[in-house]
């Protein structure tokens, strides 16, 4: 497996494994199959595993912890905090307050069954708490040996800069794929300038770009994608046209649509080099076409 370096020193496999859908959001799941998938990924050289405390909620970290119990040294383990949820699954808001950061980290360490987290992300920016307070608390975790590297997710350029001034940010995670091109405008130039690694999540468009889904009925009734505008009505049909084109190109290359979608990511990032002078005075107010608003401005 090809390796990439995030920031200045965190070496990870070029392809990571996002574990969210193993516990929630994408319909039914099977823990035994999920653990087998994680083990297979590790066997193939994929060492970068991604989870979060909110997935499940809380159960995905436990699942990942079980899967890596005897293979911790093979794993670069990433998890996240910030999206608060209750034990009943209810969404309780976003917090970046220092005491919440500390409590969240300790709880994640316990669920994962590890003594440190390799990459600890702020999952969403808390607009009511200065980013300096949040990153300062995360930096304390580094000094305490509980966390090795710091990350952010779905943050705006100005916020990234302010955070990076408090403590080096190793990676920024944001949705990026053939149909989520928002980061090209301002995010990619910012992280390149600052030397921050970029982690693209949902590179297969939450599964849609694989060509697996032909109608909305291909999704289980409990699948949250049914609530996404991209998977509804005319949008679904129009997006199928994109998938058909991807399938056509994939056939010509002798690969699957999913493989093509994943391979496009590093190619697009290398190719896209906007003039930073054109980015200096823009205001970041992006909104995903999936209907989810950014939490940071």
């Amino acid at each position: 497996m090809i390796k990439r370096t995030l920031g200045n020193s965190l070496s990870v496999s070029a392809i990571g494994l996002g574990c969210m859908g193993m516990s929630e959001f994408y319909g039914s799941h099977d823990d035994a199959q999920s653990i087998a998938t994680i083990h297979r990924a590790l066997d193939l050289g994929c060492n970068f595993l991604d989870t979060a405390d909110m997935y499940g909620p809380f159960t995905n970290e436990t699942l990942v912890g079980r899967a890596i119990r005897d293979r911790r040294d093979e794993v670069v383990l990433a998890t996240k905090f910030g999206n608060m949820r209750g034990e009943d699954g209810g969404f309780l808001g976003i917090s970046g307050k220092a005491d919440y950061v500390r409590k969240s980290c300790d709880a994640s360490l316990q669920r994962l069954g590890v003594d440190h987290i390799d990459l600890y992300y702020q999952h969403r920016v808390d607009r009511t708490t200065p980013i300096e307070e949040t990153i300062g608390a995360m930096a304390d975790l580094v000094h305490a040996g509980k966390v090795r590297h710091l990350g952010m997710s779905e943050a705006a350029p100005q916020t990234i800069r302010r955070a990076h001034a408090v403590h080096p940010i190793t990676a920024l995670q944001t949705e990026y794929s053939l149909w989520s091109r928002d980061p090209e405008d301002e995010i990619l130039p910012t992280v390149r300038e600052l030397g921050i690694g970029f982690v693209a999540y949902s590179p297969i468009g939450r599964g849609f770009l694989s060509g697996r889904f032909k109608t909305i009925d291909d999704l289980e009734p409990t699948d949250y994608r049914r609530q996404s505008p991209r998977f509804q009505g005319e949008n679904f049909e129009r997006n199928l046209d994109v998938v058909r084109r991807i399938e056509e190109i994939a056939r010509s290359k002798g690969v699957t649509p999913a493989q093509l979608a994943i391979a496009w990511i590093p190619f697009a990032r290398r190719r896209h080099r906007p003039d930073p002078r054109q980015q200096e005075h823009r205001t970041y107010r992006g909104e995903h076409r999936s209907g989810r608003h950014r939490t940071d401005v």
Side-chain angles (χ1 to χ4, degrees), residues 135-211:
I135 301 300
M138 295 172 71
D140 289 342
L141 298 174
V142 175
H143 299 319
K146 296 180 179 182
V147 170
R148 297 286 171 82
H149 299 268
L150 303 186
M152 303 179 75
S153 180
E154 299 284 4
Q158 290 182 352
T159 305
I160 297 168
R161 293 180 186 280
R162 288 168 54 195
H164 196 61
V166 176
H167 186 280
I169 301 300
T170 295
L172 175 79
Q173 183 179 112
T174 294
E175 184 169 358
Y176 187 49
S177 70
L178 279 163
W179 70 352
S180 293
R181 306 287 293 272
D182 313 44
E184 293 175 357
D185 293 336
E186 298 176 89
I187 295 298
L188 290 181
T190 299
V191 296
R192 284 196 189 100
E193 176 190 338
L194 298 177
I196 297 172
F198 182 83
V199 177
Y201 76 76
S202 294
I204 313 176
R206 302 184 184 276
F208 193 87
L209 301 180
S210 70

Side-chain angles (χ1 to χ4, degrees), residues 2-293:
I2 296 172
K3 296 292 184 68
R4 304 284 189 219
T5 300
L6 301 178
N8 294 321
S9 59
L10 183 59
S11 177
V12 300
S13 54
I15 298 175
L17 179 62
C19 300
M20 180 187 80
M22 296 178 179
S23 298
E24 194 181 14
F25 298 112
Y26 293 161
S28 59
H29 49 85
D30 180 288
D31 285 356
Q33 184 180 60
S34 296
I35 290 174
T37 299
I38 292 173
H39 288 168
R40 179 59 174 159
L42 295 176
D43 292 341
L44 292 173
C46 173
N47 70 349
F48 192 21
L49 302 183
D50 182 278
T51 181
D53 58 3
M54 72 159 286
Y55 300 158
F58 316 119
T59 57
N60 193 244
E61 286 184 323
T62 302
L63 173 69
V64 172
R66 287 168 53 199
I68 68 171
R69 185 170 300 148
D70 300 324
R71 306 183 68 168
R72 178 65 180 97
D73 292 343
E74 300 176 49
V75 176
V76 177
L77 182 60
T79 191
K80 315 178 199 72
F81 76 92
N83 284 312
M84 299 186 296
R85 296 185 69 180
E87 293 292 340
D88 62 354
F91 289 85
L92 306 177
I94 297 170
S95 178
K97 297 186 181 302
D99 60 342
Y100 182 77
V101 174
R102 291 189 287 268
K103 291 177 182 178
S104 296
C105 181
D106 287 342
S108 289
L109 287 170
Q110 183 175 9
R111 284 189 292 267
L112 290 162
V114 299
D115 61 4
H116 73 274
I117 295 164
D118 296 305
L119 178 59
Y120 199 40
Y121 288 105
Q122 180 186 24
H123 206 163
R124 292 293 184 271
V125 174
D126 176 5
R127 296 172 65 181
T128 67
T129 302
I131 193 64
E132 289 79 6
E133 175 182 337
T134 304
I135 301 300
M138 295 172 71
D140 289 342
L141 298 174
V142 175
H143 299 319
K146 296 180 179 182
V147 170
R148 297 286 171 82
H149 299 268
L150 303 186
M152 303 179 75
S153 180
E154 299 284 4
Q158 290 182 352
T159 305
I160 297 168
R161 293 180 186 280
R162 288 168 54 195
H164 196 61
V166 176
H167 186 280
I169 301 300
T170 295
L172 175 79
Q173 183 179 112
T174 294
E175 184 169 358
Y176 187 49
S177 70
L178 279 163
W179 70 352
S180 293
R181 306 287 293 272
D182 313 44
E184 293 175 357
D185 293 336
E186 298 176 89
I187 295 298
L188 290 181
T190 299
V191 296
R192 284 196 189 100
E193 176 190 338
L194 298 177
I196 297 172
F198 182 83
V199 177
Y201 76 76
S202 294
I204 313 176
R206 302 184 184 276
F208 193 87
L209 301 180
S210 70
R212 175 183 175 188
F213 307 110
K214 302 303 183 184
T215 73
I216 193 67
D217 292 329
D218 289 335
L219 299 172
E220 294 183 22
T222 58
D223 194 311
Y224 105 99
R225 287 171 290 191
R226 282 179 169 267
Q227 312 305 317
S228 170
R230 286 181 171 179
F231 287 82
Q232 296 175 359
E234 292 183 358
N235 290 341
F236 192 101
E237 295 303 319
R238 289 175 179 174
N239 284 324
L240 277 180
D241 291 337
V242 176
V243 173
R244 293 184 188 105
R245 178 57 177 152
I246 292 172
E247 290 174 330
E248 179 182 331
I249 297 173
R251 282 194 298 271
S252 72
K253 303 292 184 182
V255 299
T256 68
Q259 288 173 324
L260 181 70
I262 291 172
W264 176 85
I265 298 291
F267 172 79
R269 286 166 55 188
R270 289 195 303 269
R271 186 171 180 270
H272 186 78
R273 291 289 191 275
D275 185 346
R277 293 171 298 179
Q278 298 176 358
Q279 310 293 330
E280 292 177 355
H281 303 297
R282 291 185 183 177
T283 300
Y284 188 74
R285 49 174 76 95
E287 176 185 343
H288 282 306
R289 285 167 291 174
S290 60
R292 296 184 302 102
H293 292 270

